[in-house]
Amino acid sequence: MSSDNKTEKKIVIALDGFSSCGKSTFAKSIAARLGYIFIDTGAMYRAVTLYALQNGAINDGEVDESRVIALLDEVEISFRFNPERGASDIYINGHYAEDEIRTIEVSNCVSSVSSIREVREKLVAMQQQMGRCRGVVMDGRDIGTVVFPDAELKIFMTADKRVRAERRYAELKAKGDDVTLEEILENVISRDEADMTRAISPLRRAEDAIELDNSSMSVDEQMAWFMERYEAVINK
Ligand code: DC
C-alpha cells in the first residue's frame, strides 16, 4: 500500500473499559492526533439519565423504566464541537448539558438507565450512524462488542479502582463539587458491578481487543503504546 493510501485509510477505534479509567481523555488525544472524530458514548447515556431526572422519571434514585422509555421519543441528543476543549459538547434538545451530565446524581443513576433495552437500542443506532464513514474514536462499554464489532482496532482499558476513584475525585473537586473520596470509590465499584452484570450488552472485553492497564502510565506513555498498535493496523 502506498503511504498516501495509508494516510487516507480511516478506521474505527473502539475504546471500551471501566469507568474513570481516563478513556475520554485518551480518546480525545488520539482523535486530535489522527484528525478523527471523538464520540463519548457514556455522555449519551448520561444525557438520557439527566433528562429522566429532570422530567420525573427518576425519584429518590428509583428509576421508573416505563417513564424513561416514554421520554425517549422527545429527547434529542446532539454534539457540537467546542474548540476550547478540543472535543464536542453534548446538547439535549438544543440545550448545553456537558457540565450537568457529570454530576454525582447522574453518575448514581446512569447504570440503571443504561440497562434499559430501549435506551440502548436508540443510542446504539445513533452511534452506528455517527461512525458509518469510519475515522472515529468511540469510547464506551460495548463499542467493540456491539456497536462496532468490526472495528479495526479495539482497546480495553483498565486501571486500579482506587487510582480511578482518585482521578474522578480530583476532577469533581476541581469543578467545585462537594464530594468525598469514599463516595466516589463506592460509585466506581457499584458501576463496575452494574456494567459487568447487566443482562443487555454487559461490559466485557471483546476477544480481539488489546488490554491497556494505565494505572501507572503517563499520558505520553499511553500515546506511544497506542501509536505502535495503530501503525500496525494501518500498515497491515
Ligand atoms: O463513560 P461514563 O462513565 O461517562 O459512562 C456513564 C455510564 O454509561 C456508565 O456507568 C455505563 C454507561 N455506558 C454504557 O452502558 N454503554 C456505553 N457504551 C457507554 C456508557
Side-chain angles (χ1 to χ4, degrees), residues 15-21 23-24 40-47 49 101-102 106-107 109-115 120 123-124 127 138-143 147 168 187 190-192 194-195 198 200-203:
L15 203 54
D16 290 306
F18 296 98
S19 65
S20 308
C21 270
K23 289 194 303 299
S24 297
D40 175 358
T41 64
M44 298 167 77
Y45 289 94
R46 287 173 177 276
T49 305
I101 60 161
R102 312 267 168 208
V106 171
S107 296
C109 301
V110 66
S111 290
S112 305
V113 172
S114 61
S115 68
R120 302 204 72 83
L123 298 188
V124 166
Q127 291 152 13
M138 203 171 273
D139 106 51
R141 304 293 189 286
D142 60 343
I143 311 305
V147 184
R168 176 68 55 124
N187 176 260
S190 69
R191 278 206 292 151
D192 281 358
D195 289 349
R198 70 170 170 241
I200 318 157
S201 310
L203 170 64

mmCIF file of all heavy atoms in Angstrom, residues 15-21 23-24 40-47 49 101-102 106-107 109-115 120 123-124 127 138-143 147 168 187 190-192 194-195 198 200-203, ligand 1:
data_model
loop_
_atom_site.group_PDB
_atom_site.id
_atom_site.type_symbol
_atom_site.label_atom_id
_atom_site.label_comp_id
_atom_site.label_asym_id
_atom_site.label_seq_id
_atom_site.Cartn_x
_atom_site.Cartn_y
_atom_site.Cartn_z
ATOM 1 N N LEU A 15 -12.874 1.984 22.032
ATOM 2 C CA LEU A 15 -12.170 2.111 23.306
ATOM 3 C C LEU A 15 -13.157 1.788 24.426
ATOM 4 O O LEU A 15 -13.991 2.623 24.779
ATOM 5 C CB LEU A 15 -11.703 3.564 23.404
ATOM 6 C CG LEU A 15 -10.551 3.926 24.286
ATOM 7 C CD1 LEU A 15 -9.329 3.089 23.954
ATOM 8 C CD2 LEU A 15 -10.205 5.401 24.075
ATOM 9 N N ASP A 16 -13.096 0.556 24.920
ATOM 10 C CA ASP A 16 -14.024 0.160 25.990
ATOM 11 C C ASP A 16 -13.268 -0.008 27.299
ATOM 12 O O ASP A 16 -12.050 -0.134 27.307
ATOM 13 C CB ASP A 16 -14.699 -1.172 25.620
ATOM 14 C CG ASP A 16 -15.676 -1.004 24.475
ATOM 15 O OD1 ASP A 16 -16.571 -0.136 24.591
ATOM 16 O OD2 ASP A 16 -15.552 -1.714 23.460
ATOM 17 N N GLY A 17 -14.036 -0.046 28.383
ATOM 18 C CA GLY A 17 -13.395 -0.299 29.667
ATOM 19 C C GLY A 17 -14.196 0.259 30.817
ATOM 20 O O GLY A 17 -15.309 0.749 30.643
ATOM 21 N N PHE A 18 -13.584 0.159 31.990
ATOM 22 C CA PHE A 18 -14.257 0.558 33.233
ATOM 23 C C PHE A 18 -14.404 2.072 33.317
ATOM 24 O O PHE A 18 -13.732 2.804 32.596
ATOM 25 C CB PHE A 18 -13.463 0.017 34.423
ATOM 26 C CG PHE A 18 -13.442 -1.479 34.464
ATOM 27 C CD1 PHE A 18 -12.366 -2.197 33.974
ATOM 28 C CD2 PHE A 18 -14.535 -2.174 34.964
ATOM 29 C CE1 PHE A 18 -12.354 -3.585 33.993
ATOM 30 C CE2 PHE A 18 -14.533 -3.563 34.986
ATOM 31 C CZ PHE A 18 -13.452 -4.268 34.506
ATOM 32 N N SER A 19 -15.288 2.502 34.228
ATOM 33 C CA SER A 19 -15.495 3.940 34.392
ATOM 34 C C SER A 19 -14.239 4.576 35.013
ATOM 35 O O SER A 19 -13.497 3.907 35.744
ATOM 36 C CB SER A 19 -16.704 4.200 35.287
ATOM 37 O OG SER A 19 -16.457 3.717 36.575
ATOM 38 N N SER A 20 -14.050 5.835 34.703
ATOM 39 C CA SER A 20 -12.937 6.628 35.257
ATOM 40 C C SER A 20 -11.544 6.038 35.031
ATOM 41 O O SER A 20 -10.667 6.143 35.880
ATOM 42 C CB SER A 20 -13.128 6.865 36.763
ATOM 43 O OG SER A 20 -14.393 7.386 37.008
ATOM 44 N N CYS A 21 -11.373 5.416 33.871
ATOM 45 C CA CYS A 21 -10.043 4.898 33.507
ATOM 46 C C CYS A 21 -9.265 5.928 32.706
ATOM 47 O O CYS A 21 -8.158 5.647 32.262
ATOM 48 C CB CYS A 21 -10.186 3.692 32.582
ATOM 49 S SG CYS A 21 -10.293 2.167 33.414
ATOM 50 N N LYS A 23 -10.582 7.018 29.814
ATOM 51 C CA LYS A 23 -10.890 6.678 28.408
ATOM 52 C C LYS A 23 -11.133 7.922 27.571
ATOM 53 O O LYS A 23 -10.623 8.040 26.464
ATOM 54 C CB LYS A 23 -12.155 5.792 28.319
ATOM 55 C CG LYS A 23 -11.988 4.394 28.816
ATOM 56 C CD LYS A 23 -13.159 3.505 28.390
ATOM 57 C CE LYS A 23 -14.517 3.998 28.847
ATOM 58 N NZ LYS A 23 -14.667 4.078 30.314
ATOM 59 N N SER A 24 -11.924 8.844 28.119
ATOM 60 C CA SER A 24 -12.284 10.031 27.334
ATOM 61 C C SER A 24 -11.062 10.887 27.038
ATOM 62 O O SER A 24 -10.893 11.364 25.908
ATOM 63 C CB SER A 24 -13.325 10.884 28.064
ATOM 64 O OG SER A 24 -14.484 10.138 28.216
ATOM 65 N N ASP A 40 -18.047 10.317 22.666
ATOM 66 C CA ASP A 40 -18.114 9.861 24.055
ATOM 67 C C ASP A 40 -19.521 9.272 24.272
ATOM 68 O O ASP A 40 -20.482 9.998 24.511
ATOM 69 C CB ASP A 40 -17.870 11.089 24.955
ATOM 70 C CG ASP A 40 -18.028 10.785 26.434
ATOM 71 O OD1 ASP A 40 -18.363 9.638 26.795
ATOM 72 O OD2 ASP A 40 -17.792 11.714 27.230
ATOM 73 N N THR A 41 -19.631 7.941 24.168
ATOM 74 C CA THR A 41 -20.972 7.351 24.242
ATOM 75 C C THR A 41 -21.524 7.366 25.675
ATOM 76 O O THR A 41 -22.732 7.378 25.873
ATOM 77 C CB THR A 41 -21.007 5.908 23.696
ATOM 78 O OG1 THR A 41 -20.188 5.074 24.517
ATOM 79 C CG2 THR A 41 -20.533 5.844 22.261
ATOM 80 N N GLY A 42 -20.619 7.398 26.672
ATOM 81 C CA GLY A 42 -21.083 7.500 28.065
ATOM 82 C C GLY A 42 -21.864 8.794 28.255
ATOM 83 O O GLY A 42 -22.857 8.841 28.999
ATOM 84 N N ALA A 43 -21.430 9.863 27.562
ATOM 85 C CA ALA A 43 -22.126 11.153 27.666
ATOM 86 C C ALA A 43 -23.570 11.017 27.183
ATOM 87 O O ALA A 43 -24.483 11.672 27.700
ATOM 88 C CB ALA A 43 -21.390 12.210 26.844
ATOM 89 N N MET A 44 -23.786 10.135 26.205
ATOM 90 C CA MET A 44 -25.142 9.964 25.663
ATOM 91 C C MET A 44 -26.037 9.267 26.703
ATOM 92 O O MET A 44 -27.203 9.640 26.879
ATOM 93 C CB MET A 44 -25.081 9.169 24.352
ATOM 94 C CG MET A 44 -24.272 9.904 23.275
ATOM 95 S SD MET A 44 -23.836 8.873 21.850
ATOM 96 C CE MET A 44 -25.378 8.828 20.975
ATOM 97 N N TYR A 45 -25.488 8.250 27.385
ATOM 98 C CA TYR A 45 -26.278 7.589 28.445
ATOM 99 C C TYR A 45 -26.524 8.547 29.607
ATOM 100 O O TYR A 45 -27.584 8.548 30.227
ATOM 101 C CB TYR A 45 -25.576 6.297 28.913
ATOM 102 C CG TYR A 45 -25.654 5.220 27.856
ATOM 103 C CD1 TYR A 45 -24.629 5.034 26.932
ATOM 104 C CD2 TYR A 45 -26.793 4.436 27.730
ATOM 105 C CE1 TYR A 45 -24.712 4.085 25.919
ATOM 106 C CE2 TYR A 45 -26.891 3.476 26.719
ATOM 107 C CZ TYR A 45 -25.849 3.318 25.827
ATOM 108 O OH TYR A 45 -25.958 2.382 24.827
ATOM 109 N N ARG A 46 -25.524 9.384 29.873
ATOM 110 C CA ARG A 46 -25.689 10.380 30.933
ATOM 111 C C ARG A 46 -26.768 11.400 30.547
ATOM 112 O O ARG A 46 -27.531 11.870 31.399
ATOM 113 C CB ARG A 46 -24.364 11.115 31.175
ATOM 114 C CG ARG A 46 -23.339 10.265 31.884
ATOM 115 C CD ARG A 46 -21.979 10.965 31.963
ATOM 116 N NE ARG A 46 -21.044 10.167 32.713
ATOM 117 C CZ ARG A 46 -20.953 10.167 34.043
ATOM 118 N NH1 ARG A 46 -21.704 10.998 34.742
ATOM 119 N NH2 ARG A 46 -20.112 9.392 34.665
ATOM 120 N N ALA A 47 -26.805 11.778 29.273
ATOM 121 C CA ALA A 47 -27.785 12.771 28.817
ATOM 122 C C ALA A 47 -29.213 12.240 28.998
ATOM 123 O O ALA A 47 -30.102 12.960 29.479
ATOM 124 C CB ALA A 47 -27.526 13.131 27.357
ATOM 125 N N THR A 49 -30.110 10.040 31.143
ATOM 126 C CA THR A 49 -30.329 9.980 32.594
ATOM 127 C C THR A 49 -30.685 11.358 33.147
ATOM 128 O O THR A 49 -31.625 11.492 33.951
ATOM 129 C CB THR A 49 -29.050 9.443 33.293
ATOM 130 O OG1 THR A 49 -28.705 8.193 32.705
ATOM 131 C CG2 THR A 49 -29.260 9.285 34.785
ATOM 132 N N ILE A 101 -24.363 16.763 32.999
ATOM 133 C CA ILE A 101 -24.388 15.296 32.882
ATOM 134 C C ILE A 101 -23.302 14.632 33.723
ATOM 135 O O ILE A 101 -23.294 13.421 33.870
ATOM 136 C CB ILE A 101 -24.247 14.801 31.416
ATOM 137 C CG1 ILE A 101 -22.914 15.267 30.813
ATOM 138 C CG2 ILE A 101 -25.439 15.211 30.560
ATOM 139 C CD1 ILE A 101 -22.506 14.471 29.581
ATOM 140 N N ARG A 102 -22.375 15.421 34.279
ATOM 141 C CA ARG A 102 -21.234 14.845 35.019
ATOM 142 C C ARG A 102 -21.424 14.875 36.534
ATOM 143 O O ARG A 102 -20.481 14.584 37.267
ATOM 144 C CB ARG A 102 -19.934 15.602 34.699
ATOM 145 C CG ARG A 102 -19.694 15.814 33.223
ATOM 146 C CD ARG A 102 -18.868 14.736 32.583
ATOM 147 N NE ARG A 102 -18.910 14.849 31.133
ATOM 148 C CZ ARG A 102 -18.766 13.834 30.305
ATOM 149 N NH1 ARG A 102 -18.573 12.619 30.771
ATOM 150 N NH2 ARG A 102 -18.830 14.006 29.004
ATOM 151 N N VAL A 106 -26.265 12.216 38.565
ATOM 152 C CA VAL A 106 -26.397 11.500 37.288
ATOM 153 C C VAL A 106 -25.576 10.207 37.344
ATOM 154 O O VAL A 106 -26.065 9.136 36.968
ATOM 155 C CB VAL A 106 -25.968 12.394 36.090
ATOM 156 C CG1 VAL A 106 -25.906 11.590 34.805
ATOM 157 C CG2 VAL A 106 -26.912 13.588 35.935
ATOM 158 N N SER A 107 -24.350 10.290 37.863
ATOM 159 C CA SER A 107 -23.485 9.096 37.943
ATOM 160 C C SER A 107 -24.164 7.976 38.737
ATOM 161 O O SER A 107 -24.019 6.806 38.411
ATOM 162 C CB SER A 107 -22.154 9.431 38.616
ATOM 163 O OG SER A 107 -21.437 10.342 37.842
ATOM 164 N N CYS A 109 -27.305 7.247 38.936
ATOM 165 C CA CYS A 109 -28.489 6.655 38.288
ATOM 166 C C CYS A 109 -28.204 6.112 36.887
ATOM 167 O O CYS A 109 -29.039 5.395 36.319
ATOM 168 C CB CYS A 109 -29.601 7.712 38.160
ATOM 169 S SG CYS A 109 -30.108 8.394 39.730
ATOM 170 N N VAL A 110 -27.043 6.458 36.329
ATOM 171 C CA VAL A 110 -26.817 6.147 34.908
ATOM 172 C C VAL A 110 -26.731 4.643 34.626
ATOM 173 O O VAL A 110 -27.151 4.190 33.552
ATOM 174 C CB VAL A 110 -25.590 6.934 34.357
ATOM 175 C CG1 VAL A 110 -24.286 6.493 35.003
ATOM 176 C CG2 VAL A 110 -25.492 6.817 32.847
ATOM 177 N N SER A 111 -26.252 3.855 35.585
ATOM 178 C CA SER A 111 -26.171 2.411 35.327
ATOM 179 C C SER A 111 -27.562 1.818 35.138
ATOM 180 O O SER A 111 -27.769 0.972 34.260
ATOM 181 C CB SER A 111 -25.451 1.687 36.458
ATOM 182 O OG SER A 111 -24.096 2.025 36.445
ATOM 183 N N SER A 112 -28.518 2.255 35.967
ATOM 184 C CA SER A 112 -29.885 1.729 35.843
ATOM 185 C C SER A 112 -30.494 2.143 34.505
ATOM 186 O O SER A 112 -31.126 1.322 33.827
ATOM 187 C CB SER A 112 -30.801 2.262 36.952
ATOM 188 O OG SER A 112 -30.246 1.984 38.180
ATOM 189 N N VAL A 113 -30.300 3.398 34.140
ATOM 190 C CA VAL A 113 -30.888 3.871 32.881
ATOM 191 C C VAL A 113 -30.243 3.160 31.683
ATOM 192 O O VAL A 113 -30.932 2.753 30.735
ATOM 193 C CB VAL A 113 -30.753 5.416 32.759
ATOM 194 C CG1 VAL A 113 -31.170 5.899 31.378
ATOM 195 C CG2 VAL A 113 -31.566 6.103 33.848
ATOM 196 N N SER A 114 -28.928 2.944 31.770
ATOM 197 C CA SER A 114 -28.256 2.324 30.614
ATOM 198 C C SER A 114 -28.515 0.823 30.531
ATOM 199 O O SER A 114 -28.103 0.187 29.567
ATOM 200 C CB SER A 114 -26.758 2.638 30.617
ATOM 201 O OG SER A 114 -26.161 2.127 31.775
ATOM 202 N N SER A 115 -29.202 0.268 31.514
ATOM 203 C CA SER A 115 -29.529 -1.160 31.401
ATOM 204 C C SER A 115 -30.909 -1.380 30.758
ATOM 205 O O SER A 115 -31.350 -2.515 30.600
ATOM 206 C CB SER A 115 -29.457 -1.826 32.779
ATOM 207 O OG SER A 115 -30.495 -1.325 33.570
ATOM 208 N N ARG A 120 -30.743 1.545 25.130
ATOM 209 C CA ARG A 120 -29.562 1.070 24.410
ATOM 210 C C ARG A 120 -29.835 0.998 22.911
ATOM 211 O O ARG A 120 -28.993 1.380 22.098
ATOM 212 C CB ARG A 120 -29.094 -0.292 24.924
ATOM 213 C CG ARG A 120 -28.759 -0.326 26.389
ATOM 214 C CD ARG A 120 -27.789 -1.431 26.747
ATOM 215 N NE ARG A 120 -26.450 -1.145 26.264
ATOM 216 C CZ ARG A 120 -25.565 -0.370 26.914
ATOM 217 N NH1 ARG A 120 -25.864 0.146 28.080
ATOM 218 N NH2 ARG A 120 -24.382 -0.137 26.384
ATOM 219 N N LEU A 123 -29.636 4.524 21.428
ATOM 220 C CA LEU A 123 -28.300 5.127 21.420
ATOM 221 C C LEU A 123 -27.320 4.352 20.536
ATOM 222 O O LEU A 123 -26.507 4.958 19.837
ATOM 223 C CB LEU A 123 -27.777 5.284 22.855
ATOM 224 C CG LEU A 123 -28.622 6.217 23.735
ATOM 225 C CD1 LEU A 123 -27.941 6.472 25.072
ATOM 226 C CD2 LEU A 123 -28.918 7.566 23.057
ATOM 227 N N VAL A 124 -27.432 3.034 20.525
ATOM 228 C CA VAL A 124 -26.541 2.240 19.660
ATOM 229 C C VAL A 124 -26.785 2.603 18.186
ATOM 230 O O VAL A 124 -25.841 2.787 17.414
ATOM 231 C CB VAL A 124 -26.714 0.719 19.912
ATOM 232 C CG1 VAL A 124 -26.061 -0.110 18.814
ATOM 233 C CG2 VAL A 124 -26.128 0.333 21.273
ATOM 234 N N GLN A 127 -25.107 5.814 17.467
ATOM 235 C CA GLN A 127 -23.638 5.667 17.438
ATOM 236 C C GLN A 127 -23.174 5.019 16.134
ATOM 237 O O GLN A 127 -22.176 5.438 15.537
ATOM 238 C CB GLN A 127 -23.189 4.828 18.650
ATOM 239 C CG GLN A 127 -23.378 5.571 19.969
ATOM 240 C CD GLN A 127 -23.606 4.661 21.165
ATOM 241 O OE1 GLN A 127 -23.398 3.447 21.090
ATOM 242 N NE2 GLN A 127 -24.029 5.233 22.287
ATOM 243 N N MET A 138 -14.359 5.936 19.375
ATOM 244 C CA MET A 138 -15.591 5.898 20.153
ATOM 245 C C MET A 138 -15.301 5.255 21.491
ATOM 246 O O MET A 138 -14.734 4.165 21.539
ATOM 247 C CB MET A 138 -16.629 5.085 19.375
ATOM 248 C CG MET A 138 -18.027 5.418 19.770
ATOM 249 S SD MET A 138 -19.251 4.648 18.682
ATOM 250 C CE MET A 138 -19.441 5.816 17.366
ATOM 251 N N ASP A 139 -15.639 5.957 22.568
ATOM 252 C CA ASP A 139 -15.358 5.361 23.870
ATOM 253 C C ASP A 139 -16.645 4.963 24.568
ATOM 254 O O ASP A 139 -17.669 5.628 24.433
ATOM 255 C CB ASP A 139 -14.418 6.287 24.667
ATOM 256 C CG ASP A 139 -15.058 7.047 25.803
ATOM 257 O OD1 ASP A 139 -15.723 6.423 26.633
ATOM 258 O OD2 ASP A 139 -14.838 8.267 25.875
ATOM 259 N N GLY A 140 -16.606 3.808 25.241
ATOM 260 C CA GLY A 140 -17.822 3.309 25.902
ATOM 261 C C GLY A 140 -17.596 2.000 26.619
ATOM 262 O O GLY A 140 -16.533 1.772 27.217
ATOM 263 N N ARG A 141 -18.609 1.136 26.574
ATOM 264 C CA ARG A 141 -18.534 -0.159 27.254
ATOM 265 C C ARG A 141 -18.764 -1.319 26.281
ATOM 266 O O ARG A 141 -18.346 -2.432 26.528
ATOM 267 C CB ARG A 141 -19.621 -0.267 28.348
ATOM 268 C CG ARG A 141 -19.611 0.814 29.394
ATOM 269 C CD ARG A 141 -18.374 0.732 30.254
ATOM 270 N NE ARG A 141 -18.436 1.625 31.404
ATOM 271 C CZ ARG A 141 -18.292 2.939 31.347
ATOM 272 N NH1 ARG A 141 -18.058 3.528 30.187
ATOM 273 N NH2 ARG A 141 -18.349 3.679 32.438
ATOM 274 N N ASP A 142 -19.470 -1.035 25.196
ATOM 275 C CA ASP A 142 -19.895 -2.102 24.275
ATOM 276 C C ASP A 142 -19.550 -1.765 22.828
ATOM 277 O O ASP A 142 -20.187 -2.245 21.911
ATOM 278 C CB ASP A 142 -21.420 -2.294 24.402
ATOM 279 C CG ASP A 142 -22.189 -1.015 24.064
ATOM 280 O OD1 ASP A 142 -21.570 0.071 24.046
ATOM 281 O OD2 ASP A 142 -23.404 -1.103 23.808
ATOM 282 N N ILE A 143 -18.561 -0.905 22.641
ATOM 283 C CA ILE A 143 -18.271 -0.455 21.270
ATOM 284 C C ILE A 143 -17.666 -1.609 20.456
ATOM 285 O O ILE A 143 -18.113 -1.892 19.341
ATOM 286 C CB ILE A 143 -17.330 0.788 21.256
ATOM 287 C CG1 ILE A 143 -17.833 1.861 22.230
ATOM 288 C CG2 ILE A 143 -17.179 1.339 19.839
ATOM 289 C CD1 ILE A 143 -19.255 2.311 22.030
ATOM 290 N N VAL A 147 -21.546 -2.225 19.199
ATOM 291 C CA VAL A 147 -21.755 -1.076 18.297
ATOM 292 C C VAL A 147 -20.940 -1.261 17.011
ATOM 293 O O VAL A 147 -21.479 -1.169 15.906
ATOM 294 C CB VAL A 147 -21.403 0.261 18.997
ATOM 295 C CG1 VAL A 147 -21.708 1.442 18.085
ATOM 296 C CG2 VAL A 147 -22.164 0.407 20.312
ATOM 297 N N ARG A 168 -11.222 10.621 39.439
ATOM 298 C CA ARG A 168 -12.565 11.216 39.326
ATOM 299 C C ARG A 168 -12.790 12.246 40.440
ATOM 300 O O ARG A 168 -13.373 13.301 40.236
ATOM 301 C CB ARG A 168 -13.620 10.094 39.353
ATOM 302 C CG ARG A 168 -15.082 10.473 39.341
ATOM 303 C CD ARG A 168 -15.645 11.101 38.088
ATOM 304 N NE ARG A 168 -15.501 10.402 36.824
ATOM 305 C CZ ARG A 168 -16.479 10.053 36.014
ATOM 306 N NH1 ARG A 168 -17.713 10.281 36.355
ATOM 307 N NH2 ARG A 168 -16.244 9.499 34.860
ATOM 308 N N ASN A 187 -19.113 4.639 44.232
ATOM 309 C CA ASN A 187 -19.779 4.779 42.933
ATOM 310 C C ASN A 187 -19.026 4.016 41.846
ATOM 311 O O ASN A 187 -19.630 3.329 41.009
ATOM 312 C CB ASN A 187 -19.918 6.273 42.576
ATOM 313 C CG ASN A 187 -20.516 6.474 41.196
ATOM 314 O OD1 ASN A 187 -19.790 6.728 40.236
ATOM 315 N ND2 ASN A 187 -21.813 6.323 41.063
ATOM 316 N N SER A 190 -19.691 0.241 42.435
ATOM 317 C CA SER A 190 -21.051 -0.211 42.110
ATOM 318 C C SER A 190 -21.328 -0.099 40.609
ATOM 319 O O SER A 190 -22.041 -0.927 40.043
ATOM 320 C CB SER A 190 -22.099 0.522 42.945
ATOM 321 O OG SER A 190 -22.154 1.851 42.554
ATOM 322 N N ARG A 191 -20.711 0.900 39.942
ATOM 323 C CA ARG A 191 -20.927 0.985 38.490
ATOM 324 C C ARG A 191 -20.205 -0.147 37.744
ATOM 325 O O ARG A 191 -20.733 -0.690 36.786
ATOM 326 C CB ARG A 191 -20.483 2.355 37.964
ATOM 327 C CG ARG A 191 -21.580 3.383 38.180
ATOM 328 C CD ARG A 191 -21.515 4.503 37.210
ATOM 329 N NE ARG A 191 -20.328 5.316 37.444
ATOM 330 C CZ ARG A 191 -19.710 5.996 36.500
ATOM 331 N NH1 ARG A 191 -20.137 5.935 35.258
ATOM 332 N NH2 ARG A 191 -18.681 6.740 36.784
ATOM 333 N N ASP A 192 -19.018 -0.536 38.219
ATOM 334 C CA ASP A 192 -18.311 -1.686 37.614
ATOM 335 C C ASP A 192 -19.211 -2.912 37.669
ATOM 336 O O ASP A 192 -19.384 -3.625 36.678
ATOM 337 C CB ASP A 192 -17.056 -2.050 38.426
ATOM 338 C CG ASP A 192 -15.889 -1.125 38.149
ATOM 339 O OD1 ASP A 192 -16.031 -0.225 37.306
ATOM 340 O OD2 ASP A 192 -14.842 -1.317 38.795
ATOM 341 N N ALA A 194 -22.487 -3.107 38.166
ATOM 342 C CA ALA A 194 -23.699 -2.979 37.349
ATOM 343 C C ALA A 194 -23.368 -3.120 35.857
ATOM 344 O O ALA A 194 -24.086 -3.791 35.108
ATOM 345 C CB ALA A 194 -24.361 -1.630 37.617
ATOM 346 N N ASP A 195 -22.274 -2.511 35.419
ATOM 347 C CA ASP A 195 -21.898 -2.560 33.998
ATOM 348 C C ASP A 195 -21.569 -3.994 33.558
ATOM 349 O O ASP A 195 -21.881 -4.404 32.450
ATOM 350 C CB ASP A 195 -20.683 -1.658 33.716
ATOM 351 C CG ASP A 195 -21.008 -0.168 33.800
ATOM 352 O OD1 ASP A 195 -22.202 0.178 33.869
ATOM 353 O OD2 ASP A 195 -20.069 0.654 33.805
ATOM 354 N N ARG A 198 -25.112 -6.473 33.906
ATOM 355 C CA ARG A 198 -26.421 -6.206 33.310
ATOM 356 C C ARG A 198 -26.700 -7.231 32.200
ATOM 357 O O ARG A 198 -25.765 -7.749 31.568
ATOM 358 C CB ARG A 198 -26.535 -4.766 32.806
ATOM 359 C CG ARG A 198 -25.692 -4.488 31.616
ATOM 360 C CD ARG A 198 -26.015 -3.127 30.998
ATOM 361 N NE ARG A 198 -24.991 -2.855 30.020
ATOM 362 C CZ ARG A 198 -24.160 -1.818 30.057
ATOM 363 N NH1 ARG A 198 -24.251 -0.916 30.993
ATOM 364 N NH2 ARG A 198 -23.252 -1.675 29.127
ATOM 365 N N ILE A 200 -28.256 -6.869 29.245
ATOM 366 C CA ILE A 200 -28.038 -6.457 27.856
ATOM 367 C C ILE A 200 -26.676 -5.785 27.716
ATOM 368 O O ILE A 200 -26.361 -4.854 28.449
ATOM 369 C CB ILE A 200 -29.118 -5.458 27.387
ATOM 370 C CG1 ILE A 200 -30.480 -5.898 27.890
ATOM 371 C CG2 ILE A 200 -29.117 -5.264 25.894
ATOM 372 C CD1 ILE A 200 -31.464 -4.763 27.982
ATOM 373 N N SER A 201 -25.910 -6.235 26.725
ATOM 374 C CA SER A 201 -24.589 -5.656 26.424
ATOM 375 C C SER A 201 -23.745 -5.390 27.662
ATOM 376 O O SER A 201 -23.328 -4.254 27.885
ATOM 377 C CB SER A 201 -24.748 -4.338 25.658
ATOM 378 O OG SER A 201 -25.585 -4.480 24.582
ATOM 379 N N PRO A 202 -23.491 -6.399 28.485
ATOM 380 C CA PRO A 202 -22.644 -6.144 29.656
ATOM 381 C C PRO A 202 -21.233 -5.749 29.234
ATOM 382 O O PRO A 202 -20.803 -6.069 28.116
ATOM 383 C CB PRO A 202 -22.632 -7.491 30.392
ATOM 384 C CG PRO A 202 -22.936 -8.498 29.353
ATOM 385 C CD PRO A 202 -23.841 -7.829 28.356
ATOM 386 N N LEU A 203 -20.557 -5.049 30.131
ATOM 387 C CA LEU A 203 -19.173 -4.675 29.851
ATOM 388 C C LEU A 203 -18.312 -5.929 29.865
ATOM 389 O O LEU A 203 -18.242 -6.630 30.866
ATOM 390 C CB LEU A 203 -18.681 -3.708 30.936
ATOM 391 C CG LEU A 203 -17.181 -3.404 30.925
ATOM 392 C CD1 LEU A 203 -16.771 -2.674 29.651
ATOM 393 C CD2 LEU A 203 -16.784 -2.572 32.137
HETATM 394 O O1 DC B 1 -18.082 6.564 30.495
HETATM 395 P P1 DC B 1 -19.044 7.098 31.556
HETATM 396 O O2 DC B 1 -18.625 6.750 32.957
HETATM 397 O O3 DC B 1 -19.328 8.542 31.395
HETATM 398 O O4 DC B 1 -20.403 6.303 31.270
HETATM 399 C C1 DC B 1 -21.556 6.530 32.023
HETATM 400 C C2 DC B 1 -22.357 5.271 32.170
HETATM 401 O O5 DC B 1 -22.962 4.911 30.930
HETATM 402 C C3 DC B 1 -21.608 4.034 32.647
HETATM 403 O O6 DC B 1 -21.874 3.791 34.017
HETATM 404 C C4 DC B 1 -22.121 2.899 31.816
HETATM 405 C C5 DC B 1 -22.934 3.518 30.733
HETATM 406 N N1 DC B 1 -22.420 3.265 29.394
HETATM 407 C C6 DC B 1 -22.899 2.155 28.743
HETATM 408 O O7 DC B 1 -23.675 1.399 29.316
HETATM 409 N N2 DC B 1 -22.525 1.904 27.460
HETATM 410 C C7 DC B 1 -21.671 2.721 26.826
HETATM 411 N N3 DC B 1 -21.314 2.470 25.570
HETATM 412 C C8 DC B 1 -21.153 3.855 27.496
HETATM 413 C C9 DC B 1 -21.540 4.084 28.792
#
